[in-house]
Amino acid sequence: MSSDMNAEQATRSAQRALFHRFLLTLLICFLFLMTVMVFILTYLLDYQERKLLSSLGQEYQRILTFESDSKLEHVVINNPNRLIENAISVARVDSTGQLEWLSGAELPSFPEVVSEYQPALRHWYHLFSHAPYLSLKLDGKPSQYWLIMDGTPRRTHLFVQGAALCAALAVMVALIALIVWRLLSRTLSPLHSLAKGVDQVRGWSLDVMLATDLPALESSGPLGQLSQSVQQVLNRLRETVKGMDQTVDAIAHDVRTPLSRVILTTEAALSEDTAKYQPEQIEASLRSALSDCAESAQQANQMLTTLMRIHDEQVGRHALETQPIELAQLLSEVAAWYEEVAEDTGIRLNTDGLEAVTCVSDAKRLTQIVVNLVDNSVKYSLPGGEVSLACGEAVDHLWFSVSDRGIGIEPAHQALIFRRLYRVEGSRHRPGYGLGLAMVSAMVNTLQGSIDLNSVLGEGSRFTVRLPKTLDL
């Protein structure tokens, strides 16, 4: 505290410093929140673009494969609305290798090297590049075509959303700052009152200070109790000196006027109406902030729930519920659940390799293992690929496998994919948390089995689960 600053000024300066620190922390938190939300919006927009382009590409490729080039040109020329609405152009490669606009949105100019803008070569943040394009090659007979999506309209829409988000957060910060300032003022009011009383008696002589009470102080809240404690200490000190000096009664008369002035000032401050906003306005702002947070929690709550389930499996918290299980039937049922998803992505589910075998195991866990493996294979298979399910019996165990002809896994990553939250670099653009195979590994161990992976990069993967014919309980 500087020598020219009294106690009340110091407490109010401390209040302002505390408020500034809170405001800085609040701004940092909201900037972080805004950054995360912009990231999520950008990622979702990129995901939607890729999904839309992939869907159109599959539809048009089927026309080229099963019909003809002229049929495709007829379709896109006579039905350009969907392409225009999504800022997608269809271009044909002419005899000189140049792109010739065919239908859809008209671009100012085509990218110089259109193949560089294919989804596999573009990152989720490509919308912020100088050329926010996505391209997809279509092979006809004999012509070649390109779908080119211009991300400029979506980028503009994203900027508008970001500006609206900034404005909403700015209003929210202002409202919260105002509310916190009022709360700080009311909470620290007893401390200000105490400081004011200290300033009043600081210039008194020792006899006067010990012979009189401090001005009436606020006694509400924890800081009010502090004021009362200080007053009690000084009063006890006064009582100690009182026995040594019989003139206290005369001096007490002289402090009645300042005591009355302090009481009147305090009562006037307490009677002021500090509410400047309606409760409904404050509640509406707080509800808006609480709503954005909950979408992301939810993506974590889900992650934490899965992590807890993995932990429960590893520590054996839930007992096994064993029963005879027709393994081929279980695999067929799970395959049936994924038929529609596989069909939408052009993937064939093959169950020809299933043999009639029976094991004694936990049906719920076994179903979850198969679901996770099939889901993984469908997710990482390429359009037109195949996911095969097979099962059989060996001398001392049963086995089943789920194989695909997808992207495959590099040898360096194969020993790591069963770890929690581990994801291969090439799979990070696909949805998921990296917990599915960790859950599979934990459940397989619970069922006293083992899981093996055989994978070749670019050719596919095969997961094989081996289970005992009966469990040792």
Side-chain angles (χ1 to χ4, degrees):
M1 184 190 304
S2 61
S3 58
D4 59 346
M5 183 181 294
N6 59 36
E8 184 179 9
Q9 290 173 337
T11 58
R12 296 193 180 279
S13 177
Q15 176 183 331
R16 289 190 293 271
L18 182 62
F19 175 73
H20 291 157
R21 291 182 182 180
F22 167 80
L23 191 59
L24 178 61
T25 304
L26 183 65
L27 288 174
I28 292 174
C29 291
F30 273 100
L31 285 175
F32 175 76
L33 177 63
M34 185 177 67
T35 302
V36 171
M37 293 178 69
V38 169
F39 167 80
I40 293 174
L41 289 174
T42 305
Y43 183 84
L44 290 177
L45 195 58
D46 175 72
Y47 173 75
Q48 292 171 359
E49 283 189 344
R50 293 172 185 268
K51 184 177 180 181
L52 176 61
L53 191 64
S54 175
S55 176
L56 281 175
Q58 292 174 14
E59 178 182 340
Y60 291 163
Q61 187 62 59
R62 281 196 294 267
I63 296 175
L64 291 172
T65 302
F66 298 106
E67 297 192 35
S68 64
D69 294 6
S70 59
K71 177 64 176 179
L72 173 66
E73 295 181 6
H74 175 78
V75 169
V76 298
I77 292 175
N78 289 280
N79 298 280
N81 294 337
R82 186 181 180 188
L83 296 170
I84 295 174
E85 290 174 357
N86 293 283
I88 299 176
S89 296
V90 179
R92 179 175 54 198
V93 180
D94 60 20
S95 58
T96 64
Q98 299 297 316
L99 292 180
E100 176 186 359
W101 179 83
L102 192 61
S103 181
E106 295 187 16
L107 300 179
S109 62
F110 287 115
E112 293 183 3
V113 185
V114 70
S115 60
E116 293 182 354
Y117 299 91
Q118 296 183 75
L121 304 177
R122 302 291 278 170
H123 299 288
W124 62 269
Y125 49 83
H126 76 277
L127 285 175
F128 298 108
S129 65
H130 68 283
Y133 300 117
L134 284 177
S135 63
L136 188 64
K137 182 180 179 182
L138 303 176
D139 294 318
K141 300 176 182 178
S143 301
Q144 288 186 348
Y145 301 87
W146 284 92
L147 294 182
I148 305 173
M149 175 180 286
D150 184 7
T152 303
R154 293 171 179 81
R155 180 171 60 186
T156 303
H157 180 65
L158 183 63
F159 286 158
V160 172
Q161 286 183 319
L165 180 62
C166 289
L169 291 180
V171 173
M172 193 179 305
V173 168
L175 289 175
I176 293 177
L178 179 61
I179 294 170
V180 170
W181 175 257
R182 301 303 302 176
L183 289 175
L184 278 175
S185 298
R186 297 186 64 177
T187 302
L188 298 178
S189 180
L191 187 59
H192 297 326
S193 179
L194 174 61
K196 185 176 182 179
V198 171
D199 288 335
Q200 287 180 346
V201 301
R202 186 171 59 175
W204 295 353
S205 65
L206 180 61
D207 290 340
V208 173
M209 184 171 56
L210 295 177
T212 59
D213 294 330
L214 283 174
L217 305 175
E218 294 185 27
S219 58
S220 59
L223 293 180
Q225 183 61 42
L226 173 64
S227 300
Q228 288 185 335
S229 298
V230 172
Q231 189 172 25
Q232 290 173 0
V233 170
L234 292 179
N235 286 336
R236 290 185 65 183
L237 181 60
R238 184 198 64 182
E239 293 298 328
T240 301
V241 178
K242 186 177 181 179
M244 301 172 60
D245 192 347
Q246 298 297 323
T247 60
V248 172
D249 292 337
I251 298 175
H253 177 74
D254 295 333
V255 298
R256 289 178 180 175
T257 300
L259 282 174
S260 300
R261 186 169 61 249
V262 170
I263 291 173
L264 291 174
T265 302
T266 304
E267 290 177 349
L270 290 173
S271 63
E272 289 182 359
D273 184 14
T274 59
K276 292 184 177 181
Y277 294 92
Q278 297 294 328
E280 293 81 5
Q281 295 175 313
I282 300 174
E283 182 181 356
S285 298
L286 293 177
R287 283 182 177 275
S288 176
L290 292 174
S291 175
D292 291 333
C293 292
E295 181 174 348
S296 341
Q298 185 68 24
Q299 298 177 352
N301 179 61
Q302 293 174 352
M303 182 181 294
L304 288 175
T305 300
T306 306
L307 286 170
M308 291 181 65
R309 289 183 61 191
I310 295 173
H311 174 73
D312 290 346
E313 286 296 330
Q314 291 176 335
V315 301
R317 182 162 296 172
H318 303 296
L320 292 170
E321 299 179 3
T322 61
Q323 64 184 69
I325 300 172
E326 295 293 333
L327 193 55
Q329 180 180 348
L330 187 147
L331 291 167
S332 296
E333 290 177 355
V334 174
W337 299 344
Y338 280 86
E339 283 181 355
E340 184 175 350
V341 176
E343 183 178 354
D344 290 342
T345 55
I347 297 170
R348 178 175 176 267
L349 292 175
N350 185 354
T351 58
D352 295 338
L354 299 180
E355 299 179 9
V357 292
T358 303
C359 66
V360 177
S361 189
D362 188 308
K364 292 182 179 179
R365 287 180 169 89
L366 199 52
T367 301
Q368 186 65 61
I369 291 170
V370 178
V371 165
N372 284 13
L373 292 178
V374 173
D375 184 82
N376 228 44
S377 293
V378 171
K379 184 188 302 182
Y380 295 105
S381 290
L382 302 176
E386 181 179 277
V387 174
S388 300
L389 284 77
C391 67
E393 182 176 5
V395 176
D396 57 349
H397 66 272
L398 303 176
W399 63 269
F400 69 90
S401 66
V402 179
S403 57
D404 61 69
R405 301 175 185 173
I407 61 176
I409 302 170
E410 293 182 357
H413 298 290
Q414 292 181 14
L416 305 173
I417 60 172
F418 295 102
R419 294 184 180 180
R420 284 176 288 185
L421 301 175
Y422 185 85
R423 302 193 72 190
V424 178
E425 189 65 29
S427 67
R428 295 186 181 275
H429 66 282
R430 301 175 187 267
Y433 301 111
L435 295 173
L437 292 179
M439 173 69 78
V440 167
S441 178
M443 288 187 170
V444 168
N445 289 334
T446 300
L447 298 180
Q448 304 169 15
S450 64
I451 182 169
D452 298 326
L453 168 63
N454 293 314
S455 182
V456 178
L457 187 64
E459 295 184 12
S461 303
R462 176 187 176 94
F463 291 88
T464 303
V465 177
R466 294 176 175 84
L467 300 171
K469 295 182 179 180
T470 58
L471 294 176
D472 296 329
L473 300 178

